[in-house]
């Protein structure tokens, strides 16, 4: 049997080499020409706890983590107990008999693999247990050894030739054991039919960091929080290489305060946090809107209110991103739909922030930020970078400075314009002095509390959103445009929906998906034609109340079919397809 899709899960105790095992396989599979998409579930505890790292290998491109596990490598009994139920009946269990006792009535193929014995007694190198496991798994699905050899050399060469050789020996031991003891491994062999060689392997968080650099980000400040910390850590390493600065603040409020200060000084600036941290930034969000300071805030959503479930998935911050704040606080909210899209929507977030001098929130989530995927290398020639409109001493502001540097006019920072955008001066710029304040102000930036001023300045700030909606990044569209059944969704749920549509097509069921990338304001030119053209519209999302469905209903009232899950996990494709089948049967 030849497979074109394989899901491998490595499970065990955090710190046992779960992630390094998965990463070695992931990198080797990418070099082997497979499309790779990972999914991991680390524990919330700082140390210890159950963890798994899952790899989906595909000859083509996959869009979701995969519903069931083909190969389960269980490092301990808990790993077996917690993951066996998700392993296919015709799947394969690889386990160390000194650690795991499988159920006698399990249906999958079981292979005893004495990992500890091989590493400790045969190789005299106990910590190489995970490399032995890598060799075994690679042999099971037919990964060429050369890619693993080169990866091991790259990873351990700085520790010396002897360490490299020990790990190569461990790799070989795993391969040899499988060759000698698993004669029917062809059932799990996977052959890439379309080479994905040359693609890069990045996580959603890394793609956001790369997008920020491509957009010209000059400053990043953040405070550690799962699952957004990876963005800060990536930029702390790579942003200084471009002349930028990245630092850790003492808390979230300080972080966004620094970001607004950097933006006031003329730098493109961002922060990254998750729901609890974002709520601490809300006061400064209002300042950014009132003072018209461009900034990008990444909210990598996680499950639950308060500290909730830090390492689990949920799309529960949409209301907070779209509406949180005191008074009427304009902002733009973008939601990427894939790891690749994280790069491009980050660029769009900076462009919109700079062009409209307003805060832009990039709404990711645990599934999207943490998972790694092989994606085509971004083409920087396709990246257009927009800078803010600056006050010019030659006169694009209201004020004009003559050649001698003296003012013959007066600079109005918040001058009323047709699109709401007014030139911004950089501190120290001759003639460009103004007050950037959270208090209501007139065109000059002077404090005013009268009805007329608040009215026209509120209109100015919101006028920018009206223009931005017309320039929303193109929605993600997939399926049959002639279908009567439409699926309206957002964010990382798009991946599961795409695979649902593909499977439905094989059954003769036509579906059409629209996923707007701008969620605040909603792009009317994209949503209205789609909504008006469908007989039934289904809205799947990972939260309890149906936040996106409610937002759409308030603007485009009609009946929507809601499908919600909220257990901390993304949609299973087979489950979502079954729900859609049932809804279609009732409505068509």
């Amino acid at each position: 049997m030849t497979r074109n899709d394989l899901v491998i899960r490595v499970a065990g105790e955090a710190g046992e080499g779960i992630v390094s095992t998965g990463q070695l396989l992931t990198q080797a599979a990418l070099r082997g020409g497979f499309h790779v998409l990972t999914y991991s579930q680390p524990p919330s505890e700082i140390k210890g706890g159950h963890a798994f790292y899952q790899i989906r290998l595909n000859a083509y491109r996959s869009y979701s983590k995969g519903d069931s596990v083909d190969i389960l490598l269980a490092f301990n009994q808990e790993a077996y107990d917690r993951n066996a139920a998700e392993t296919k009946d015709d799947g394969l269990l690889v386990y160390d008999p000194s650690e795991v006792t499988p159920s006698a009535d399990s249906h999958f193929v079981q292979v005893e693999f004495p990992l500890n014995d091989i590493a400790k007694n045969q190789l005299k190198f106990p910590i190489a247990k995970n490399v032995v496991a890598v060799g075994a798994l690679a042999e099971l699905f037919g990964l060429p050894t050369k890619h693993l050899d080169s990866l091991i050399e790259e990873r351990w060469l700085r520790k010396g030739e002897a360490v490299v050789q020990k790990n190569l020996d461990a790799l070989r031991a795993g391969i040899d054991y499988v060759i000698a003891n698993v004669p029917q491994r062809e059932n799990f062999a996977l052959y890439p039919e379309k080479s994905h060689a040359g693609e890069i392997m990045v996580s959603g968080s890394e793609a956001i960091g790369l997008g920020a650099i491509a957009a010209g980000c000059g400053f990043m400040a953040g405070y550690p929080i799962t699952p957004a910390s990876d963005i800060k850590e990536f930029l702390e390493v790579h942003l200084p290489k471009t002349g930028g600065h990245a630092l850790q603040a003492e808390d979230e409020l300080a972080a966004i305060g620094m970001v607004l200060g950097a933006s006031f000084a003329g730098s493109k600036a961002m922060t990254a946090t998750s729901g609890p941290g974002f709520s601490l930034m809300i006061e400064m969000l209002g300042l950014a809107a009132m003072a018209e300071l461009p900034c990008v805030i990444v909210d990598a959503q996680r499950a639950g209110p308060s500290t909730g479930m830090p390492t689990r998935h949920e799309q529960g911050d949409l209301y907070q991103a779209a509406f949180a704040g005191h008074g009427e606080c304009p902002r733009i909210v973008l939601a990427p739909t894939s790891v690749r899209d994280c790069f491009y929507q980050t660029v769009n977030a900076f462009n919109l922030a700079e062009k409209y001098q307003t805060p832009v929130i990039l709404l990711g989530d645990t599934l999207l930020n943490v998972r790694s995927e092989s994606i085509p290398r971004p083409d920087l020639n396709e990246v257009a970078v927009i800078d803010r409109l600056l006050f010019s001493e030659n006169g694009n502001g209201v004020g004009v400075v003559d050649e001698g540097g003296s003012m013959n006019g007066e600079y109005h920072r918040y001058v009323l314009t047709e699109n709401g955008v007014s030139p911004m001066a950089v501190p120290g710029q001759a003639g460009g002095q103004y007050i950037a304040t959270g208090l209501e102000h007139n065109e000059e930036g002077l404090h005013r509390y009268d009805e007329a001023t608040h009215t026209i300045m509120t209109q100015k700030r919101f006028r920018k959103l009206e223009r931005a909606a017309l320039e929303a990044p193109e929605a993600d569209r997939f399926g049959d445009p002639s279908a009567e059944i439409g699926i309206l969704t957002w964010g990382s749920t798009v991946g599961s929906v795409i695979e649902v549509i593909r499977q439905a097509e094989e059954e003769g069921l036509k579906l059409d998906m629209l996923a707007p990338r701008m969620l605040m304001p909603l792009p009317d030119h994209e949503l209205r034609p789609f909504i008006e053209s469908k007989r039934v519209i289904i809205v799947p999302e990972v939260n309890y109340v149906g936040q996106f469905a409610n937002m759409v209903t308030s603007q485009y009232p009609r009946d929507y079919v809601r499908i919600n899950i909220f257990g901390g996990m993304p949609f299973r494709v087979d489950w979502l397809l079954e729900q859609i089948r049932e809804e279609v049967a009732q409505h068509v």
Side-chain angles (χ1 to χ4, degrees), residues 484-531:
E484 294 183 326
I485 311 299
I487 300 177
L488 203 51
T489 191
W490 63 284
S492 63
T493 297
V494 166
S496 297
V497 172
I498 287 176
E499 297 205 0
V500 163
I501 292 174
R502 283 181 163 178
Q503 292 189 24
E505 284 176 348
E506 296 175 1
E507 304 173 5
L509 175 59
K510 292 182 179 180
L511 300 171
D512 188 19
M513 180 201 77
L514 182 80
R517 291 183 165 99
M518 182 180 283
L519 304 181
M520 174 56 70
L522 289 172
D524 184 75
H525 65 284
E526 293 180 324
L527 283 163
R528 187 177 298 281
F530 181 84
I531 291 171

Side-chain angles (χ1 to χ4, degrees), residues 87-168:
T87 305
K88 293 178 180 175
D89 286 346
D90 61 347
L92 176 67
L93 168 68
V94 181
Y95 68 99
D96 190 328
S98 68
E99 298 280 352
V100 177
T101 303
S103 170
D105 59 356
S106 61
H107 298 288
F108 32 74
V109 178
Q110 300 181 8
V111 174
E112 292 187 3
F113 198 97
L115 289 168
N116 287 317
D117 181 61
I118 292 174
K120 184 177 180 180
N121 299 321
Q122 180 180 326
L123 299 172
K124 310 298 183 187
F125 193 35
I127 61 173
K129 180 177 76 171
N130 61 324
V131 180
V132 178
V134 167
L137 293 176
E139 182 62 26
L140 280 169
F141 71 86
L143 182 67
T145 307
K146 62 180 181 180
H147 301 303
L148 285 164
D149 289 344
S150 59
L151 280 167
I152 285 174
E153 290 175 2
E154 292 167 17
R155 175 169 289 201
W156 280 290
L157 187 57
R158 62 185 174 85
K159 293 189 176 182
E161 294 287 350
V163 175
V164 170
Q165 190 56 54
K166 281 187 173 183
N167 281 284
L168 289 174

Side-chain angles (χ1 to χ4, degrees), residues 8-30 36 38-40 51-57 71-76 94 113 115-116 119 126-141 143 147-148 151-152 155-156 167 170-171 174 201:
I8 302 170
R9 180 177 293 182
V10 181
E13 185 80 2
E16 204 173 9
I18 306 300
V19 174
S20 59
T21 301
Q23 288 177 338
L24 267 175
L25 282 170
T26 297
Q27 289 292 337
L30 173 65
V36 187
T38 73
Y39 172 66
S40 61
F52 72 70
Y53 191 98
Q54 181 169 305
I55 310 159
R56 186 177 183 187
L57 304 172
I71 300 176
L72 171 63
L73 170 60
F75 273 172
N76 58 29
V94 181
F113 198 97
L115 289 168
N116 287 317
I127 61 173
K129 180 177 76 171
N130 61 324
V131 180
V132 178
V134 167
L137 293 176
E139 182 62 26
L140 280 169
F141 71 86
L143 182 67
H147 301 303
L148 285 164
L151 280 167
I152 285 174
R155 175 169 289 201
W156 280 290
N167 281 284
L171 179 73
M201 191 78 194

Side-chain angles (χ1 to χ4, degrees), residues 316-354:
D317 285 356
L318 178 55
Y319 278 175
Q320 180 174 235
F323 303 120
H326 34 260
E328 293 183 303
C329 177
R331 84 292 304 271
I332 295 170
V333 179
L334 300 183
T337 60
S338 67
V339 168
R340 181 173 184 268
D341 204 34
C342 283
F343 175 86
Y344 290 102
Q345 295 321 311
T346 303
V347 174
N348 286 332
F350 273 95
N351 284 345
L352 288 165
E354 293 293 315

